[in-house]
């Protein structure tokens, strides 16, 4: 499922007033964050049919983003491996407006997280590394979240609040545990290992957001 271009952080996207925006952040916005963005959309489509009817908008940007650039060819191949759609992607440089409008920011590394938080906009409580958020989400009892039948957006907002409350109590086992390393310039096998890593981290997150397990 590919979002219309108006879904890429443009004000006035249908339903945006009641939407929940997920922003994936990496460095160049041509490898990790495009893979994460499109795998998230693919997983949402798997669970919800049409993720945009649920009010979830998924986008990405880079702290040194290559504005207008296509994603790396190896990143497209990784997405194809998962059956996800890479078409229509264009890189973006991370701007204040992206952070302001995001309800959840998931970054590839702790450095990216620090850069997002340093931009201000009260981003600290809604910005996590992807793997950090996965670890926190696994510790949250899903029965404490709003029923997804009552609205995925409210459930998503409650999930972020619960994760933020746990952050100081559930620390990473080591400094590398929350990092997704950059495959830029690496051969396809390394891209595929990064894609697997991202996909595994996303699965419990999307399940918690939607209340629906992956279809097998």
């Amino acid at each position: 499922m590919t979002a219309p271009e108006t879904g890429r952080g443009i004000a006035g996207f249908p339903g945006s007033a009641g939407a929940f925006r997920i922003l994936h952040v990496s460095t160049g916005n041509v490898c990790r964050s495009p893979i994460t963005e499109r795998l998230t959309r693919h997983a949402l489509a798997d669970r919800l049919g049409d993720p945009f009817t649920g009010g979830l908008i998924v986008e990405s940007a880079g702290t040194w983003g290559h504005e207008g650039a296509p994603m790396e060819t190896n990143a497209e191949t990784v997405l194809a491996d998962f059956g996800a759609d890479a078409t229509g992607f264009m890189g973006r440089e991370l701007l204040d407006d992206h952070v302001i409008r995001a309800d959840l920011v998931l970054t590839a590394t702790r450095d990216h997280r620090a850069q997002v938080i340093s931009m201000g906009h009260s981003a600290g409580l809604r910005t996590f590394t992807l793997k950090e958020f996965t670890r926190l989400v696994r510790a949250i009892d899903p029965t404490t979240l709003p029923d997804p039948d009552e609205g995925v957006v409210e459930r998503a907002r409650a999930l972020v609040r619960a994760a933020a409350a746990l952050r100081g109590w559930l620390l990473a086992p080591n400094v590398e545990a929350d990092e997704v390393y950059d495959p830029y310039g690496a051969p396809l096998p390394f891209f595929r290992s990064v894609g697997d890593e991202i996909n595994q981290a996303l699965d419990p997150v999307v399940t918690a957001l939607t209340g629906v397990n992956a279809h097998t």
Side-chain angles (χ1 to χ4, degrees):
M1 177 72 191
T2 304
E5 272 304 303
T6 48
R8 289 188 57 78
I10 305 300
F13 178 66
S16 59
F20 183 91
R21 291 182 179 271
I22 302 170
L23 176 66
H24 294 295
V25 175
S26 63
T27 303
N29 194 212
V30 293
C31 297
R32 288 167 293 181
S33 50
I35 290 172
T36 315
E37 173 195 312
R38 294 307 175 95
L39 286 181
T40 304
R41 292 185 185 183
H42 182 66
L44 289 171
D46 175 64
R47 289 160 171 80
L48 299 178
D50 179 358
F52 302 101
T53 62
L56 302 179
I57 299 172
V58 185
E59 48 198 357
S60 63
T63 55
W64 291 87
H66 302 294
E67 192 73 29
M71 72 176 76
E72 286 287 294
T73 300
N74 283 346
E76 292 184 351
T77 301
V78 167
L79 290 174
D81 290 345
F82 288 100
D85 192 353
T87 58
F89 181 85
M90 290 189 298
R92 302 191 304 176
E93 182 179 356
L94 181 66
L95 303 176
D96 287 70
D97 196 42
H98 301 146
V99 176
I100 290 168
R101 288 186 293 188
D103 297 286
L104 171 63
V105 184
L106 297 175
T107 70
T109 69
R110 291 167 299 147
D111 283 346
H112 297 132
R113 181 185 64 193
Q115 289 179 65
V116 171
I117 293 172
S118 74
M119 295 172 74
H121 316 302
S122 303
L125 291 177
R126 51 196 167 90
T127 302
F128 308 80
T129 74
L130 171 62
K131 288 186 173 181
E132 173 191 23
F133 195 66
T134 300
R135 184 176 67 254
L136 297 171
V137 161
R138 287 184 186 277
I140 295 168
D141 181 352
T143 64
T144 64
L145 301 172
D147 192 294
D149 291 338
E150 299 173 8
V152 176
V153 168
E154 286 308 311
R155 182 181 175 93
R157 288 175 178 156
L159 183 68
V160 172
R161 290 193 297 268
L166 278 177
R167 178 150 44 189
W169 299 92
L170 195 61
L171 303 179
N174 54 65
V175 293
E176 287 80 26
D178 289 341
E179 306 283 291
V180 176
Y181 290 106
D182 193 354
Y184 184 77
L188 182 57
F190 187 68
F191 266 84
R192 283 185 161 136
S193 69
V194 168
D196 287 340
E197 193 177 351
I198 290 170
N199 190 60
Q200 290 175 27
L202 281 173
D203 180 68
V205 171
V206 177
T207 298
L209 284 168
T210 62
V212 180
N213 290 318
H215 296 151
T216 56

